[in-house]
Amino acid sequence: QVQLVESGGGLVQPGGSLRLSCAPSGSIFSTNIMAWYRQAPGKQRELVATITRDGSTSYADSVKGRFTISRDNAKNTVYLQLNSLKPEDTASYYCNQNIRTGWDTPPLDYWGQGTQVTVSS
């Protein structure tokens, strides 16, 4: 059974930085697209950033120029560097990975448990 384990959230002042990580436990055959989402209280979950296996990235307009998504294919790990944080970035952040657990199994989406990012002075 694959689980995604997130780390790196916390409380930071406006203008500060954090780095989120998301790594799988269990047996992995391959991963395709990796992504980060976030959900603030009372709001819908929104897509923050995506990265393909070859490193192509995309970002929500609200985080362009401030957040950077990256991945380590050898470790099946995805990262999100959050810079110039604003109070409106406060949310639970969730990683998502499209994973195949075997050569003959279809890819499935897996989710992390969420890590809280709070931006406040």
Side-chain angles (χ1 to χ4, degrees):
Q1 181 72 17
V2 174
Q3 291 185 333
L4 297 182
V5 180
E6 301 177 19
S7 62
L11 173 64
V12 64
Q13 292 186 341
S17 298
L18 286 172
R19 189 187 193 216
L20 309 182
S21 300
C22 171
S25 63
S27 178
I28 303 295
F29 177 73
S30 66
T31 59
N32 190 7
I33 292 177
M34 297 179 174
W36 287 94
Y37 289 74
R38 67 184 181 185
Q39 187 168 18
K43 294 188 177 181
Q44 289 188 330
R45 188 172 294 190
E46 65 171 343
L47 178 62
V48 175
T50 65
I51 185 167
T52 63
R53 186 167 181 81
D54 64 1
S56 297
T57 59
S58 66
Y59 297 91
D61 288 343
S62 59
V63 307
K64 280 182 182 177
R66 300 188 299 120
F67 292 6
T68 302
I69 190 171
S70 61
R71 63 189 285 167
D72 182 335
N73 288 332
K75 297 180 181 179
N76 296 301
T77 299
V78 61
Y79 306 95
L80 187 67
Q81 178 68 40
L82 296 73
N83 295 331
S84 302
L85 281 161
K86 304 175 181 180
E88 51 263 43
D89 295 319
T90 296
S92 291
Y93 284 71
Y94 298 87
C95 67
N96 170 269
Q97 295 193 24
N98 188 254
I99 294 173
R100 296 180 68 185
T101 56
W103 66 271
D104 59 345
T105 59
L108 297 175
D109 276 343
Y110 291 83
W111 290 88
Q113 80 283 4
T115 186
Q116 179 67 33
V117 172
T118 302
V119 185
S120 175
S121 55

